[in-house]
Each structure stands twice: as structure tokens, then as C-alpha cells.
Amino acid sequence: MEKDMKPIEEGNAEIMDEKCHPIMFPMLQYEQIASYYTEEPLYIRAKHNKEDKLNTYEQILRMRYTIPNDKINSWCIYSEEREYPFKKGKQSGLIIRNVIWDRKRDTNIVKGNPSIKEQKRWPTIYIKNIYLTNDKSGDIIKEIKEFDKLIWRGIILKKRDAKEHPLWLDLEVMRWFDWGQVKTTWSPYEMMNHEIEMQIIKFNDILEEYKNNEHAKIYQMDLDYLIPLEVFKKYTQGI
């Protein structure tokens, strides 16, 4: 039986060193950390009461957009099953996650304070994770079904009229199905899919309403990040 061996890096260089250099510019550091927050975690485990078992919710839909010189906004939806109607019949609600990076504030901080210590702070990120029971999830499931009708065969883009000036700079859609995933990122300044963009705006408004409402408390949520956030920050910014 072979020992547990770390893979060996080979090549035609005399010296092959594995390195993890920090990113040089503070705003790029912040952007990397913010991007990680806005796409992770892939799983959230939750339970209503202390004596309950943890149920596993998988990220099944992500919508993320950038507003130039202002912010990155991400919506993620987590479910025990990927497709509707449910095949396993075990669904127990949804989790919605909203992450916003205030890029404008961090830009002003970096410009106003050039000290290295200050620039290695955490970026300004606002996060909210909300569990919704089955009876509160109907509108979101309805919107996911409508979304699926538009994207399940893929996302087709066309050139945008140069006279149009959309709010977004970059727009990402990722949807996991039982058979695989559909993922596309595009610049609405150049390309467009009017139906999908209108659906995202509608969906965004619905999710904002859910986020701003009061919801019953549950006992626990475990945010299952692929890499611990402190570790990711350390290797992005340096020690």
C-alpha cells in the first residue's frame, strides 16, 4: 500500500518552489475576500431546535452583480433538493443569503489612510442569512421555477445597444440542477439577455423584501466554508 504522499510539482525549471504571495494592492485584496464571501459557502447546515438534527442545505442558485465603484451584491439560495417539484419529499424550507461588499467605503478608507496596518483590515461586508419555513418559501420557489424556464437550456446573449447604460458592470448567474449546472458571467454594458435580466431585477426585489421582514428564530446555522475565512484572509493579504 502506497504511503499518503503529497503530489510532486515537476517541470523544466531548475528550482520549483510552491509559493503563496499576498496580493499587492489593498483594493484587490479586499475584492478577493469579498468575492469569496459572495460565492461561499456551498453548504449551510441548520436546525430549528437544540435537540434536532442538522439538515444540510445546498447552494442551488446564485445571482451576483457589481455596481461600478459602489458595491458587489450577491444572493444565494440554499435548499435540500435542487429541482422542483421535489423528488424526495423531504424539503424543510429554504435559506436565503445576501452578501454586500461596500466597495465605495473601502476605497475611501484606503485613499485616506495609506498605512499598511489599516489596509490589512477586513473589507466592509454586510451579510444576512435567513431560514424560511415551507409556508414562507412559496414565492421564492415560484420565482426559481420561472427562472429555470429561462436558463435550463443555457443562457444566450446578444449585443446590447450602445445607447443603453445598465446599472450593473458584471452579472453572474449560477444554477445547479440534478444533471449539472448552468453558469454565465457577462458585462451588461456589452451583452444582454433581456428576459433573464428582468427576472433578476424582479427576484432581487422579492428577496430584498424577505430580507427586510422579521422572521422566526431557529437554533443554529453552520456555515460550511471550503477554507476558513481567517486562513483565506491571511494568504490573500499576507501575515
Side-chain angles (χ1 to χ4, degrees), residues 11 14 24 26 41 75 129 143-144 154 159 184 214:
E14 185 175 342
M24 294 301 295
W75 289 102
N129 302 282
E143 292 305 315
I144 293 174
K159 292 288 288 185
T184 304
E214 291 292 326

Side-chain angles (χ1 to χ4, degrees), residues 43 47 49 127 143-144 151 156 159 171 185 236:
Y43 297 95
K47 59 181 176 179
N49 305 300
I127 308 168
E143 292 305 315
I144 293 174
I151 69 170
I156 299 173
K159 292 288 288 185
L171 178 60
T185 304
T236 300

